[in-house]
Amino acid sequence: MFGCRKSTFRLLILIVCYLIFLVIGASIFSAIEAPEEIAIIKQVRQIRSQFLNEHQHCLKDQELEDFIVEIIQANSRGVSAIRNVTMEPNWSFGQSIFFAGTIVTTIGYGHVSPLSDGGKAFCILYSLIGIPLTLILVAAIVERLMIVTTLMLQCFNSRLGHLYQPFNIRLLHLGVVILIIVILYFVIPAAIFANIEPDWNFLDAFYYCYISLTTIGLGDYIPGDSPDQKLRPLYKVATTGYLLLGLIFMMLALAILYDIPQLNVGLHFLMKSDDADDSEKVRLHTAIASSGPKYTQHLDETTPNALSPVSDCP
């Protein structure tokens, strides 16, 4: 169309749909969350006003404001003022393992961040090495797990191949793998987190699992940050192991999905899809041309150099 590649035209349509998708998402989030935020703002203003009224003889408004700013800034850097700042430090070994895991897996919760210039510089260097290394490790493990899932697919084909089309069997295979992953890495861990974390219900825990394993990493729910958490370093290390294993199996599900050509929609937006469309047209044109009647030249007494169809019969 207008000298534009088909893949480019599809890409332009995708960009427009993507922008519309972002606008719709922003509108829905705003409609859902704005009333909650307004209610919290009113509550905080009421508490602040009440506190100032009760301590108006010994505390000024600006002094309270300065104190709140200091608390918020400390909290944004991972230091909680709860219980007179007596919580375990963020940079103990167990906490540091958890932080390193969120860096190399690109989850990056953001609740704890390097405080010094040296820590920030090392974080950049560490991520430059750690992220590619993690991708290599995940790809190598997924490749080996694909052998197991392929055996499962072959089992389905041997038992169901005479009843269903190959595409339907692949869909069944993908569904079984996804179901196993959801149970092992979402439902069961969510139940465990909901039981350990005092302020989490099952939905909160399931939400944390999803946000983490999809590497969104909002940081609004962090396991092990409760003031009364026992064995926090061990808990953090175990959570890091869960995140790494969960990320591997999420990549496995994507690999199986992309292995089904009918579901790999992204191929239609690549430039090489134009070459595939052209080759398919050539193949169809050749097939149509070869299936039509064949003509050959022969001599006729009345009409020389005439063309007559070649008979397939003897």
Side-chain angles (χ1 to χ4, degrees), residues 183-208:
I183 293 174
L184 292 181
Y185 290 94
F186 288 89
V187 177
I188 294 178
I192 295 174
F193 282 127
N195 185 56
I196 295 177
E197 298 294 330
D199 298 327
W200 294 15
N201 56 34
F202 182 81
L203 178 60
D204 295 332
F206 192 91
Y207 167 82
Y208 164 76

PDB file of all heavy atoms in Angstrom, residues 183-208:
ATOM      1  N   ILE A 183       0.120 -23.546  38.977  1.00  0.00           N
ATOM      2  CA  ILE A 183      -0.042 -24.216  40.271  1.00  0.00           C
ATOM      3  C   ILE A 183       1.249 -24.160  41.083  1.00  0.00           C
ATOM      4  O   ILE A 183       1.239 -23.804  42.271  1.00  0.00           O
ATOM      5  CB  ILE A 183      -0.490 -25.675  40.069  1.00  0.00           C
ATOM      6  CG1 ILE A 183      -1.911 -25.714  39.483  1.00  0.00           C
ATOM      7  CG2 ILE A 183      -0.450 -26.441  41.385  1.00  0.00           C
ATOM      8  CD1 ILE A 183      -2.382 -27.104  39.119  1.00  0.00           C
ATOM      9  N   LEU A 184       2.384 -24.494  40.430  1.00  0.00           N
ATOM     10  CA  LEU A 184       3.650 -24.601  41.160  1.00  0.00           C
ATOM     11  C   LEU A 184       4.262 -23.254  41.503  1.00  0.00           C
ATOM     12  O   LEU A 184       4.942 -23.128  42.541  1.00  0.00           O
ATOM     13  CB  LEU A 184       4.649 -25.427  40.345  1.00  0.00           C
ATOM     14  CG  LEU A 184       4.335 -26.911  40.165  1.00  0.00           C
ATOM     15  CD1 LEU A 184       5.426 -27.591  39.358  1.00  0.00           C
ATOM     16  CD2 LEU A 184       4.160 -27.600  41.513  1.00  0.00           C
ATOM     17  N   TYR A 185       4.052 -22.229  40.667  1.00  0.00           N
ATOM     18  CA  TYR A 185       4.765 -20.971  40.860  1.00  0.00           C
ATOM     19  C   TYR A 185       3.859 -19.782  41.134  1.00  0.00           C
ATOM     20  O   TYR A 185       4.361 -18.662  41.305  1.00  0.00           O
ATOM     21  CB  TYR A 185       5.657 -20.683  39.652  1.00  0.00           C
ATOM     22  CG  TYR A 185       6.824 -21.641  39.578  1.00  0.00           C
ATOM     23  CD1 TYR A 185       6.748 -22.793  38.808  1.00  0.00           C
ATOM     24  CD2 TYR A 185       7.968 -21.414  40.325  1.00  0.00           C
ATOM     25  CE1 TYR A 185       7.805 -23.690  38.765  1.00  0.00           C
ATOM     26  CE2 TYR A 185       9.024 -22.293  40.288  1.00  0.00           C
ATOM     27  CZ  TYR A 185       8.940 -23.435  39.509  1.00  0.00           C
ATOM     28  OH  TYR A 185       9.992 -24.323  39.475  1.00  0.00           O
ATOM     29  N   PHE A 186       2.550 -20.014  41.173  1.00  0.00           N
ATOM     30  CA  PHE A 186       1.643 -18.929  41.525  1.00  0.00           C
ATOM     31  C   PHE A 186       0.727 -19.316  42.691  1.00  0.00           C
ATOM     32  O   PHE A 186       0.713 -18.629  43.706  1.00  0.00           O
ATOM     33  CB  PHE A 186       0.808 -18.519  40.303  1.00  0.00           C
ATOM     34  CG  PHE A 186       1.585 -17.789  39.255  1.00  0.00           C
ATOM     35  CD1 PHE A 186       2.239 -18.471  38.252  1.00  0.00           C
ATOM     36  CD2 PHE A 186       1.670 -16.406  39.279  1.00  0.00           C
ATOM     37  CE1 PHE A 186       2.962 -17.796  37.281  1.00  0.00           C
ATOM     38  CE2 PHE A 186       2.386 -15.716  38.319  1.00  0.00           C
ATOM     39  CZ  PHE A 186       3.045 -16.416  37.321  1.00  0.00           C
ATOM     40  N   VAL A 187      -0.030 -20.391  42.532  1.00  0.00           N
ATOM     41  CA  VAL A 187      -1.023 -20.755  43.543  1.00  0.00           C
ATOM     42  C   VAL A 187      -0.359 -21.201  44.849  1.00  0.00           C
ATOM     43  O   VAL A 187      -0.650 -20.661  45.933  1.00  0.00           O
ATOM     44  CB  VAL A 187      -1.959 -21.855  43.004  1.00  0.00           C
ATOM     45  CG1 VAL A 187      -2.940 -22.287  44.093  1.00  0.00           C
ATOM     46  CG2 VAL A 187      -2.714 -21.364  41.778  1.00  0.00           C
ATOM     47  N   ILE A 188       0.547 -22.180  44.754  1.00  0.00           N
ATOM     48  CA  ILE A 188       1.197 -22.689  45.965  1.00  0.00           C
ATOM     49  C   ILE A 188       2.059 -21.618  46.638  1.00  0.00           C
ATOM     50  O   ILE A 188       1.953 -21.405  47.860  1.00  0.00           O
ATOM     51  CB  ILE A 188       2.020 -23.954  45.645  1.00  0.00           C
ATOM     52  CG1 ILE A 188       1.079 -25.090  45.215  1.00  0.00           C
ATOM     53  CG2 ILE A 188       2.851 -24.379  46.849  1.00  0.00           C
ATOM     54  CD1 ILE A 188       1.797 -26.367  44.829  1.00  0.00           C
ATOM     55  N   PRO A 189       2.938 -20.906  45.913  1.00  0.00           N
ATOM     56  CA  PRO A 189       3.699 -19.834  46.582  1.00  0.00           C
ATOM     57  C   PRO A 189       2.806 -18.740  47.165  1.00  0.00           C
ATOM     58  O   PRO A 189       3.119 -18.198  48.228  1.00  0.00           O
ATOM     59  CB  PRO A 189       4.589 -19.285  45.458  1.00  0.00           C
ATOM     60  CG  PRO A 189       4.733 -20.418  44.507  1.00  0.00           C
ATOM     61  CD  PRO A 189       3.414 -21.119  44.525  1.00  0.00           C
ATOM     62  N   ALA A 190       1.704 -18.418  46.463  1.00  0.00           N
ATOM     63  CA  ALA A 190       0.803 -17.397  46.998  1.00  0.00           C
ATOM     64  C   ALA A 190       0.210 -17.843  48.327  1.00  0.00           C
ATOM     65  O   ALA A 190       0.084 -17.037  49.267  1.00  0.00           O
ATOM     66  CB  ALA A 190      -0.309 -17.097  45.990  1.00  0.00           C
ATOM     67  N   ALA A 191      -0.149 -19.122  48.425  1.00  0.00           N
ATOM     68  CA  ALA A 191      -0.676 -19.640  49.690  1.00  0.00           C
ATOM     69  C   ALA A 191       0.382 -19.575  50.786  1.00  0.00           C
ATOM     70  O   ALA A 191       0.078 -19.251  51.946  1.00  0.00           O
ATOM     71  CB  ALA A 191      -1.159 -21.073  49.497  1.00  0.00           C
ATOM     72  N   ILE A 192       1.632 -19.872  50.428  1.00  0.00           N
ATOM     73  CA  ILE A 192       2.719 -19.817  51.416  1.00  0.00           C
ATOM     74  C   ILE A 192       2.972 -18.379  51.864  1.00  0.00           C
ATOM     75  O   ILE A 192       3.084 -18.097  53.072  1.00  0.00           O
ATOM     76  CB  ILE A 192       4.001 -20.446  50.827  1.00  0.00           C
ATOM     77  CG1 ILE A 192       3.791 -21.945  50.556  1.00  0.00           C
ATOM     78  CG2 ILE A 192       5.179 -20.231  51.772  1.00  0.00           C
ATOM     79  CD1 ILE A 192       4.944 -22.612  49.859  1.00  0.00           C
ATOM     80  N   PHE A 193       3.056 -17.458  50.913  1.00  0.00           N
ATOM     81  CA  PHE A 193       3.292 -16.052  51.267  1.00  0.00           C
ATOM     82  C   PHE A 193       2.143 -15.504  52.108  1.00  0.00           C
ATOM     83  O   PHE A 193       2.360 -14.754  53.071  1.00  0.00           O
ATOM     84  CB  PHE A 193       3.456 -15.205  50.005  1.00  0.00           C
ATOM     85  CG  PHE A 193       4.806 -15.324  49.353  1.00  0.00           C
ATOM     86  CD1 PHE A 193       4.916 -15.640  48.004  1.00  0.00           C
ATOM     87  CD2 PHE A 193       5.960 -15.109  50.078  1.00  0.00           C
ATOM     88  CE1 PHE A 193       6.154 -15.761  47.394  1.00  0.00           C
ATOM     89  CE2 PHE A 193       7.210 -15.226  49.481  1.00  0.00           C
ATOM     90  CZ  PHE A 193       7.303 -15.548  48.135  1.00  0.00           C
ATOM     91  N   ALA A 194       0.902 -15.857  51.758  1.00  0.00           N
ATOM     92  CA  ALA A 194      -0.253 -15.376  52.523  1.00  0.00           C
ATOM     93  C   ALA A 194      -0.228 -15.893  53.949  1.00  0.00           C
ATOM     94  O   ALA A 194      -0.713 -15.213  54.870  1.00  0.00           O
ATOM     95  CB  ALA A 194      -1.548 -15.793  51.825  1.00  0.00           C
ATOM     96  N   ASN A 195       0.349 -17.073  54.144  1.00  0.00           N
ATOM     97  CA  ASN A 195       0.443 -17.645  55.491  1.00  0.00           C
ATOM     98  C   ASN A 195       1.586 -17.034  56.305  1.00  0.00           C
ATOM     99  O   ASN A 195       1.482 -16.882  57.526  1.00  0.00           O
ATOM    100  CB  ASN A 195       0.636 -19.158  55.386  1.00  0.00           C
ATOM    101  CG  ASN A 195       0.615 -19.841  56.736  1.00  0.00           C
ATOM    102  OD1 ASN A 195      -0.352 -19.706  57.483  1.00  0.00           O
ATOM    103  ND2 ASN A 195       1.668 -20.571  57.061  1.00  0.00           N
ATOM    104  N   ILE A 196       2.669 -16.649  55.610  1.00  0.00           N
ATOM    105  CA  ILE A 196       3.840 -16.098  56.315  1.00  0.00           C
ATOM    106  C   ILE A 196       3.688 -14.605  56.577  1.00  0.00           C
ATOM    107  O   ILE A 196       3.956 -14.128  57.683  1.00  0.00           O
ATOM    108  CB  ILE A 196       5.119 -16.375  55.508  1.00  0.00           C
ATOM    109  CG1 ILE A 196       5.386 -17.879  55.430  1.00  0.00           C
ATOM    110  CG2 ILE A 196       6.314 -15.653  56.130  1.00  0.00           C
ATOM    111  CD1 ILE A 196       6.589 -18.241  54.587  1.00  0.00           C
ATOM    112  N   GLU A 197       3.260 -13.865  55.561  1.00  0.00           N
ATOM    113  CA  GLU A 197       3.164 -12.412  55.685  1.00  0.00           C
ATOM    114  C   GLU A 197       1.895 -12.035  56.453  1.00  0.00           C
ATOM    115  O   GLU A 197       0.791 -12.399  56.049  1.00  0.00           O
ATOM    116  CB  GLU A 197       3.147 -11.758  54.293  1.00  0.00           C
ATOM    117  CG  GLU A 197       4.392 -11.990  53.478  1.00  0.00           C
ATOM    118  CD  GLU A 197       5.607 -11.314  54.094  1.00  0.00           C
ATOM    119  OE1 GLU A 197       5.432 -10.264  54.757  1.00  0.00           O
ATOM    120  OE2 GLU A 197       6.721 -11.827  53.912  1.00  0.00           O
ATOM    121  N   PRO A 198       2.016 -11.290  57.533  1.00  0.00           N
ATOM    122  CA  PRO A 198       0.846 -11.008  58.386  1.00  0.00           C
ATOM    123  C   PRO A 198      -0.203 -10.119  57.735  1.00  0.00           C
ATOM    124  O   PRO A 198      -1.386 -10.218  58.067  1.00  0.00           O
ATOM    125  CB  PRO A 198       1.471 -10.330  59.608  1.00  0.00           C
ATOM    126  CG  PRO A 198       2.768  -9.759  59.116  1.00  0.00           C
ATOM    127  CD  PRO A 198       3.242 -10.702  58.060  1.00  0.00           C
ATOM    128  N   ASP A 199       0.197  -9.255  56.830  1.00  0.00           N
ATOM    129  CA  ASP A 199      -0.741  -8.284  56.255  1.00  0.00           C
ATOM    130  C   ASP A 199      -1.183  -8.648  54.841  1.00  0.00           C
ATOM    131  O   ASP A 199      -1.831  -7.837  54.181  1.00  0.00           O
ATOM    132  CB  ASP A 199      -0.102  -6.886  56.233  1.00  0.00           C
ATOM    133  CG  ASP A 199       0.232  -6.396  57.629  1.00  0.00           C
ATOM    134  OD1 ASP A 199      -0.512  -6.743  58.561  1.00  0.00           O
ATOM    135  OD2 ASP A 199       1.237  -5.673  57.779  1.00  0.00           O
ATOM    136  N   TRP A 200      -0.823  -9.829  54.362  1.00  0.00           N
ATOM    137  CA  TRP A 200      -1.182 -10.232  53.004  1.00  0.00           C
ATOM    138  C   TRP A 200      -2.335 -11.225  53.039  1.00  0.00           C
ATOM    139  O   TRP A 200      -2.344 -12.154  53.858  1.00  0.00           O
ATOM    140  CB  TRP A 200      -0.010 -10.892  52.292  1.00  0.00           C
ATOM    141  CG  TRP A 200       1.159 -10.003  52.021  1.00  0.00           C
ATOM    142  CD1 TRP A 200       1.418  -8.779  52.559  1.00  0.00           C
ATOM    143  CD2 TRP A 200       2.258 -10.284  51.154  1.00  0.00           C
ATOM    144  NE1 TRP A 200       2.599  -8.279  52.082  1.00  0.00           N
ATOM    145  CE2 TRP A 200       3.144  -9.188  51.213  1.00  0.00           C
ATOM    146  CE3 TRP A 200       2.581 -11.361  50.334  1.00  0.00           C
ATOM    147  CZ2 TRP A 200       4.320  -9.140  50.484  1.00  0.00           C
ATOM    148  CZ3 TRP A 200       3.761 -11.315  49.609  1.00  0.00           C
ATOM    149  CH2 TRP A 200       4.618 -10.210  49.677  1.00  0.00           C
ATOM    150  N   ASN A 201      -3.298 -11.049  52.137  1.00  0.00           N
ATOM    151  CA  ASN A 201      -4.263 -12.101  51.879  1.00  0.00           C
ATOM    152  C   ASN A 201      -3.823 -12.861  50.622  1.00  0.00           C
ATOM    153  O   ASN A 201      -2.767 -12.564  50.047  1.00  0.00           O
ATOM    154  CB  ASN A 201      -5.678 -11.540  51.729  1.00  0.00           C
ATOM    155  CG  ASN A 201      -5.760 -10.467  50.638  1.00  0.00           C
ATOM    156  OD1 ASN A 201      -5.049 -10.538  49.626  1.00  0.00           O
ATOM    157  ND2 ASN A 201      -6.622  -9.485  50.828  1.00  0.00           N
ATOM    158  N   PHE A 202      -4.624 -13.828  50.198  1.00  0.00           N
ATOM    159  CA  PHE A 202      -4.201 -14.648  49.056  1.00  0.00           C
ATOM    160  C   PHE A 202      -4.083 -13.816  47.788  1.00  0.00           C
ATOM    161  O   PHE A 202      -3.161 -14.029  46.991  1.00  0.00           O
ATOM    162  CB  PHE A 202      -5.201 -15.798  48.846  1.00  0.00           C
ATOM    163  CG  PHE A 202      -4.823 -16.721  47.721  1.00  0.00           C
ATOM    164  CD1 PHE A 202      -3.878 -17.718  47.902  1.00  0.00           C
ATOM    165  CD2 PHE A 202      -5.403 -16.577  46.465  1.00  0.00           C
ATOM    166  CE1 PHE A 202      -3.520 -18.563  46.860  1.00  0.00           C
ATOM    167  CE2 PHE A 202      -5.056 -17.421  45.417  1.00  0.00           C
ATOM    168  CZ  PHE A 202      -4.117 -18.413  45.625  1.00  0.00           C
ATOM    169  N   LEU A 203      -4.997 -12.878  47.594  1.00  0.00           N
ATOM    170  CA  LEU A 203      -4.928 -12.037  46.395  1.00  0.00           C
ATOM    171  C   LEU A 203      -3.666 -11.187  46.392  1.00  0.00           C
ATOM    172  O   LEU A 203      -3.013 -11.039  45.350  1.00  0.00           O
ATOM    173  CB  LEU A 203      -6.168 -11.146  46.305  1.00  0.00           C
ATOM    174  CG  LEU A 203      -6.212 -10.166  45.125  1.00  0.00           C
ATOM    175  CD1 LEU A 203      -6.148 -10.925  43.799  1.00  0.00           C
ATOM    176  CD2 LEU A 203      -7.462  -9.299  45.184  1.00  0.00           C
ATOM    177  N   ASP A 204      -3.317 -10.630  47.547  1.00  0.00           N
ATOM    178  CA  ASP A 204      -2.077  -9.844  47.635  1.00  0.00           C
ATOM    179  C   ASP A 204      -0.863 -10.704  47.272  1.00  0.00           C
ATOM    180  O   ASP A 204       0.021 -10.261  46.534  1.00  0.00           O
ATOM    181  CB  ASP A 204      -1.899  -9.292  49.051  1.00  0.00           C
ATOM    182  CG  ASP A 204      -2.985  -8.295  49.421  1.00  0.00           C
ATOM    183  OD1 ASP A 204      -3.518  -7.648  48.516  1.00  0.00           O
ATOM    184  OD2 ASP A 204      -3.293  -8.183  50.623  1.00  0.00           O
ATOM    185  N   ALA A 205      -0.839 -11.923  47.805  1.00  0.00           N
ATOM    186  CA  ALA A 205       0.297 -12.809  47.551  1.00  0.00           C
ATOM    187  C   ALA A 205       0.338 -13.237  46.084  1.00  0.00           C
ATOM    188  O   ALA A 205       1.412 -13.284  45.471  1.00  0.00           O
ATOM    189  CB  ALA A 205       0.215 -14.035  48.457  1.00  0.00           C
ATOM    190  N   PHE A 206      -0.820 -13.565  45.516  1.00  0.00           N
ATOM    191  CA  PHE A 206      -0.862 -13.952  44.104  1.00  0.00           C
ATOM    192  C   PHE A 206      -0.452 -12.775  43.216  1.00  0.00           C
ATOM    193  O   PHE A 206       0.266 -12.946  42.224  1.00  0.00           O
ATOM    194  CB  PHE A 206      -2.278 -14.416  43.732  1.00  0.00           C
ATOM    195  CG  PHE A 206      -2.368 -15.104  42.398  1.00  0.00           C
ATOM    196  CD1 PHE A 206      -2.233 -16.482  42.302  1.00  0.00           C
ATOM    197  CD2 PHE A 206      -2.569 -14.375  41.233  1.00  0.00           C
ATOM    198  CE1 PHE A 206      -2.307 -17.116  41.067  1.00  0.00           C
ATOM    199  CE2 PHE A 206      -2.643 -14.995  40.002  1.00  0.00           C
ATOM    200  CZ  PHE A 206      -2.513 -16.380  39.920  1.00  0.00           C
ATOM    201  N   TYR A 207      -0.898 -11.584  43.592  1.00  0.00           N
ATOM    202  CA  TYR A 207      -0.517 -10.360  42.877  1.00  0.00           C
ATOM    203  C   TYR A 207       0.995 -10.166  42.929  1.00  0.00           C
ATOM    204  O   TYR A 207       1.630  -9.820  41.915  1.00  0.00           O
ATOM    205  CB  TYR A 207      -1.259  -9.191  43.511  1.00  0.00           C
ATOM    206  CG  TYR A 207      -0.773  -7.821  43.123  1.00  0.00           C
ATOM    207  CD1 TYR A 207      -1.178  -7.218  41.937  1.00  0.00           C
ATOM    208  CD2 TYR A 207       0.069  -7.092  43.964  1.00  0.00           C
ATOM    209  CE1 TYR A 207      -0.747  -5.944  41.595  1.00  0.00           C
ATOM    210  CE2 TYR A 207       0.505  -5.823  43.627  1.00  0.00           C
ATOM    211  CZ  TYR A 207       0.091  -5.257  42.446  1.00  0.00           C
ATOM    212  OH  TYR A 207       0.518  -4.004  42.105  1.00  0.00           O
ATOM    213  N   TYR A 208       1.599 -10.395  44.100  1.00  0.00           N
ATOM    214  CA  TYR A 208       3.053 -10.269  44.224  1.00  0.00           C
ATOM    215  C   TYR A 208       3.766 -11.269  43.314  1.00  0.00           C
ATOM    216  O   TYR A 208       4.739 -10.916  42.631  1.00  0.00           O
ATOM    217  CB  TYR A 208       3.487 -10.493  45.668  1.00  0.00           C
ATOM    218  CG  TYR A 208       4.970 -10.760  45.795  1.00  0.00           C
ATOM    219  CD1 TYR A 208       5.889  -9.732  45.681  1.00  0.00           C
ATOM    220  CD2 TYR A 208       5.451 -12.054  45.979  1.00  0.00           C
ATOM    221  CE1 TYR A 208       7.246  -9.972  45.763  1.00  0.00           C
ATOM    222  CE2 TYR A 208       6.815 -12.303  46.065  1.00  0.00           C
ATOM    223  CZ  TYR A 208       7.701 -11.262  45.949  1.00  0.00           C
ATOM    224  OH  TYR A 208       9.042 -11.503  46.008  1.00  0.00           O
TER     225      TYR A 208
END
